[in-house]
Amino acid sequence: MTTMSRPPADPSALRPGRGDAFKSWLLFGLQDPKGFHQGPGGLTSPGEKKHPWWQVMCLTGVDYFSTLGYQPAIAALAAGVISPLATLVLIAITLLGALPVYRRVAGESHRGEGSIAMLERLMPRWGGKLFVLVLLGFAATDFMITMTLSAADATAHLIQNPIAPGWLQGQNVLITLFLLALLGAVFLRGFKEAIGVAVVLVAVYLGLNLVILTVSVFEVFTHPVAVDDWWQAISTSHGNPLLAVGFALIVFPKLALGLSGFETGVAVMPQIRGHAGDTEDNPAGRIAGTRKLLTTAALIMSSFLMVSSFTTVVLIPEQEFQPGGQANGRALAFLAHEYLGVGFGTVYDISTIAILWFAGASAMAGLLNLVPRYLPRFGMAPGWARAVRPLVLVFTLVGFLITWLFDADVDAQGGAYATGVLVLMTSAAVAVTLSARRKRQRKRTVGFGIIAVVFIYTTVLNIIERPEGIRIASVFILGIIVISLLSRVRRSFELHATHVRLDRQALEFMSSNLGGPIALIAHEPLRLSAGAYRDKLTSAIEVSHLPLDHQAIFLEVVVDDSSDFETELVVRGITRHGYRILEVHGPVVPNTIASVLLHIRDVTGLMPHVYFRWTEGNPVANLLRFLAFGEGEIAPVTREVLREAEPDVTKRPWVHVG
């Protein structure tokens, strides 16, 4: 006699195939609530460990602080000898413009939704949805170019290191693709320790930069001739100091890369540890921590940018900033090798490569935070878009394509990056201005309005100066809109209800007919007179051969916002002119009716029958009305929605049309 630790498997049960196992792995987490996904931008469950604000600042910093790897070189290339003045303008806009705006955003979107959610609330219906899609296009431009540009710059630091093997020369595209693939592999496996890794990378990177800048400042003061030459160059090229300041204002938009990181800063808010008394509706501690994060990061970055822009333009020959030069895209690395030796320079290169690569991780997390939060809820993405791993594969492949198209060139991608950053910051400034105006805060409305005008000016000037940025962003926007609308059409015959609830009166209407079946007459809520109900009942009795004394229950769907997709339905039982009516608000009439019918079937155990009239008008026009406004060809679409939702015809509610 033998014993077994577990019962034997059923030999008739089918074993999962390899394809099923892969699908299960790929769609892991698909049923999680919105936002509960791995990645630093995702929402955390109530019991999950939160982190101090300074640790989360490091997570944001892998994107924000990593721009030190290329920002000084881009500033010198764009503004030449007056790059310190242009950087000073950048710092002023950062501290006096972007920082106040995002401190306000943090207070009004404490779940990490960002400024896009603020504008969505201000602009309902299809106009708001399309506007959100456009902003998502710019956000995708920002985050995708962050990934590819950072990986390309990490590649440049690797190849241009003096001790790098010679066979790496000319392999920029392959190395960048490898870094992007490695980034994708991290997210496919999971991303649980992002904050710990970010803290180490940021601490090491900022420490090395502090050493380089300290040595560089010492070199500047011990070589006054270099400072004199720099000042002479400014005087020669811009004789009037006011002209120099004016030129700095004009070239400032080219330096907008130094503004990145604010949108990510509010996206990671759910990771911040708040006060013990915080509630989900009023997380005062989390908001205060986020504001500390934004302020500290802005002050640190402003200090580093100011010193680096001055020392690099004074100590590095101008020709080295040009394409092909040793300082192109890596000015501080050039100073590290020049004044601290190959050993320290190599350590700095390794640190820069690591943080630039991990900056792509921050951008990937931003995308994984935005897409599942909006597109599936709008019905504008397939259901699998809620899962992390399919999106990681999609974003990685898009990154491959961008890298190949731009030949892994940092300078060629700068315009698109700046455009994405500036549009998001402009939208945030507009959102907080409208918010202050709605709350009748006059002084803040004026202040934020001025900031919005500055960002609008900067964005427009950047588009004029670097039109390739808006062209690239337009491709992203067009792609998102087309794919989203096609997905919305494809999913039009799905059930939209996330939950259906019958109130007490509605349940009493159902219980009055325990013998079944339950007959419901569909009625348009536009005609609410007693005569309209009497005519509809008479017509249903004549056409559908209902009993003459039939006690009708009318079903009315009030369309609120036809652009919504996922909704919770509340069915209210009311009496009007002596007739019993089930009233429900929903975005689309046929899908709402189908959801209610299935719910009544499940709650009562009785089969519902619904009675329609044929819709007048051209069927094609009615179908377009259904897609755009949730009305139109009601009866056939209701039947199709039921057919897709319930394959078993014996369990499917009946649809009668006469």
Side-chain angles (χ1 to χ4, degrees):
M1 185 174 183
T2 62
T3 60
M4 293 182 294
S5 60
R6 61 177 182 267
D10 182 359
S12 63
L14 295 176
R15 295 184 178 182
R18 293 182 179 179
D20 295 333
F22 173 75
K23 184 178 180 180
S24 176
W25 172 84
L26 186 66
L27 298 180
F28 174 77
L30 182 61
Q31 300 303 320
D32 289 348
K34 291 190 291 291
F36 283 77
H37 56 76
Q38 294 178 351
L43 296 175
T44 57
S45 61
E48 189 172 336
K49 178 184 176 183
K50 304 295 179 68
H51 305 270
W53 66 265
W54 61 268
Q55 291 184 353
V56 183
M57 182 192 71
C58 293
L59 181 61
T60 303
V62 294
D63 176 19
Y64 194 24
F65 299 145
S66 68
T67 57
L68 286 169
Y70 49 81
Q71 175 71 14
I74 290 177
L77 187 63
V81 293
I82 66 164
S83 64
L85 292 177
T87 301
L88 193 60
V89 175
L90 172 67
I91 292 171
I93 292 179
T94 297
L95 299 179
L96 302 178
L99 182 58
V101 164
Y102 278 92
R103 283 173 63 90
R104 174 98 180 201
V105 171
E108 298 199 18
S109 61
H110 48 262
R111 294 183 180 87
E113 309 99 326
S115 58
I116 296 179
M118 294 176 63
L119 290 172
E120 180 193 5
R121 291 193 292 267
L122 294 172
M123 301 179 64
R125 302 187 181 276
W126 281 109
K129 300 295 188 297
L130 292 175
F131 186 71
V132 168
L133 291 181
V134 172
L135 289 181
L136 286 176
F138 283 110
T141 305
D142 179 8
F143 291 131
M144 286 302 310
I145 299 297
T146 295
M147 291 169 53
T148 57
L149 184 146
S150 299
D153 198 44
T155 300
H157 281 77
L158 174 63
I159 291 177
Q160 295 183 29
N161 185 279
I163 65 174
W167 56 268
L168 291 178
Q169 299 297 324
Q171 303 300 320
N172 297 60
V173 173
L174 290 178
I175 297 174
T176 303
L177 292 177
F178 171 77
L179 292 176
L180 290 173
L182 187 62
L183 178 67
V186 170
F187 276 88
L188 288 175
R189 181 172 178 80
F191 202 62
K192 298 179 180 179
E193 307 300 330
I195 291 180
V197 175
V199 169
V200 174
L201 287 178
V202 168
V204 172
Y205 184 68
L206 290 183
L208 293 175
N209 274 284
L210 184 61
V211 172
I212 295 171
L213 292 178
T214 301
V215 172
S216 299
V217 170
F218 176 79
E219 291 293 334
V220 167
F221 282 106
T222 55
H223 295 81
V225 175
V227 179
D228 292 339
D229 292 342
W230 169 70
W231 188 254
Q232 183 65 33
I234 292 180
S235 302
T236 303
S237 57
H238 307 281
N240 189 329
L242 293 178
L243 291 178
V245 174
F247 185 73
L249 291 172
I250 293 175
V251 301
F252 154 72
K254 296 182 180 180
L255 280 63
L257 300 180
L259 289 170
S260 68
F262 282 96
E263 197 73 30
T264 309
V266 294
V268 298
M269 282 187 67
Q271 300 288 342
I272 296 176
R273 181 190 303 159
H275 298 154
D278 279 5
T279 63
E280 191 57 35
D281 293 330
N282 184 28
R286 185 199 304 170
I287 293 172
T290 304
R291 288 171 174 169
K292 290 179 183 178
L293 178 157
L294 295 170
T295 303
T296 305
L299 291 174
I300 291 174
M301 190 63 177
S302 297
S303 302
F304 275 88
L305 282 177
M306 190 67 253
V307 178
S308 63
S309 67
F310 175 68
T311 55
T312 53
V313 78
V314 170
L315 296 176
I316 300 176
E318 183 180 354
Q319 63 272 14
E320 295 294 348
F321 292 111
Q322 302 301 318
Q326 291 298 308
N328 180 248
R330 54 188 303 275
L332 292 179
F334 181 92
L335 293 179
H337 285 276
E338 183 73 18
Y339 295 106
L340 293 166
V342 174
F344 185 92
T346 300
V347 172
Y348 181 74
D349 281 341
I350 294 173
S351 174
T352 305
I353 291 168
I355 197 169
L356 284 169
W357 170 73
F358 214 66
S362 180
M364 177 75 84
L367 286 168
L368 294 175
N369 198 39
L370 283 176
V371 171
R373 183 164 287 173
Y374 289 100
L375 295 185
R377 179 164 57 88
F378 293 173
M380 294 179 173
W384 53 257
R386 294 191 189 281
V388 170
R389 285 167 177 156
L391 290 179
V392 170
L393 293 176
V394 171
F395 297 145
T396 302
L397 291 176
V398 173
F400 286 173
L401 179 62
I402 293 172
T403 298
W404 176 70
L405 290 175
F406 287 97
D407 201 29
D409 188 343
V410 175
D411 295 331
Q413 300 176 67
Y417 186 19
T419 300
V421 170
L422 286 172
V423 169
L424 287 182
M425 302 196 85
T426 300
S427 69
V430 171
V432 298
T433 301
L434 295 176
S435 173
R437 182 175 181 271
R438 188 176 67 251
K439 295 180 180 180
R440 298 182 179 180
Q441 299 170 334
R442 184 174 180 181
K443 292 182 178 179
R444 294 185 180 184
T445 301
V446 173
F448 287 131
I450 293 173
I451 295 172
V453 170
V454 171
F455 277 120
I456 291 171
Y457 155 78
T458 305
T459 304
V460 172
L461 199 60
N462 178 76
I463 292 173
I464 294 173
E465 291 287 330
R466 310 171 82 174
E468 73 277 5
I470 193 64
R471 286 197 291 265
I472 296 169
S474 298
V475 173
F476 278 99
I477 294 169
L478 181 63
I480 286 179
I481 290 178
V482 170
I483 293 173
S484 298
L485 293 180
L486 289 177
S487 177
R488 180 66 183 249
V489 171
R490 182 176 177 273
R491 299 186 64 187
S492 293
F493 300 103
E494 295 181 7
L495 295 174
H496 294 185
T498 57
H499 180 71
V500 182
R501 182 174 64 86
L502 298 170
D503 72 357
R504 182 176 179 178
Q505 187 64 55
L507 289 172
E508 290 181 358
F509 288 168
M510 298 298 103
S511 63
S512 64
N513 187 6
L514 298 178
I518 297 176
L520 302 171
I521 300 175
H523 182 257
E524 294 182 9
L526 299 177
R527 302 168 60 243
L528 302 179
S529 65
Y533 289 105
R534 184 174 56 253
D535 292 344
K536 179 63 72 72
L537 176 59
T538 301
S539 175
I541 291 174
E542 291 178 353
V543 174
S544 301
H545 305 291
L546 294 173
L548 294 178
D549 59 347
H550 178 68
Q551 298 296 315
I553 300 178
F554 291 92
L555 177 58
E556 297 179 351
V557 178
V558 180
V559 177
D560 293 326
D561 185 353
S562 61
S563 66
D564 286 340
F565 191 80
E566 294 181 344
T567 54
E568 179 177 344
L569 302 179
V570 178
V571 184
R572 296 171 55 246
I574 61 176
T575 301
R576 185 180 292 132
H577 305 302
Y579 295 101
R580 297 178 298 172
I581 299 167
L582 298 180
E583 182 184 80
V584 56
H585 289 250
V588 186
V589 175
N591 309 67
T592 301
I593 291 176
S595 296
V596 172
L597 293 176
L598 290 170
H599 184 71
I600 290 174
R601 180 202 64 182
D602 296 337
V603 168
T604 65
L606 302 175
M607 185 61 70
H609 291 241
V610 62
Y611 295 86
F612 294 97
R613 283 179 178 173
W614 284 112
T615 305
E616 296 294 330
N618 186 284
V620 176
N622 285 332
L623 181 60
L624 294 177
R625 284 180 59 208
F626 159 69
L627 295 175
F629 305 111
E631 303 172 345
E633 203 67 33
I634 305 299
V637 175
T638 301
R639 195 264 179 188
E640 178 60 20
V641 173
L642 288 169
R643 188 187 68 83
E644 291 199 6
E646 178 53 80
D648 189 345
V649 68
T650 63
K651 299 178 180 179
R652 189 184 305 156
W654 284 76
V655 175
H656 304 266
V657 189

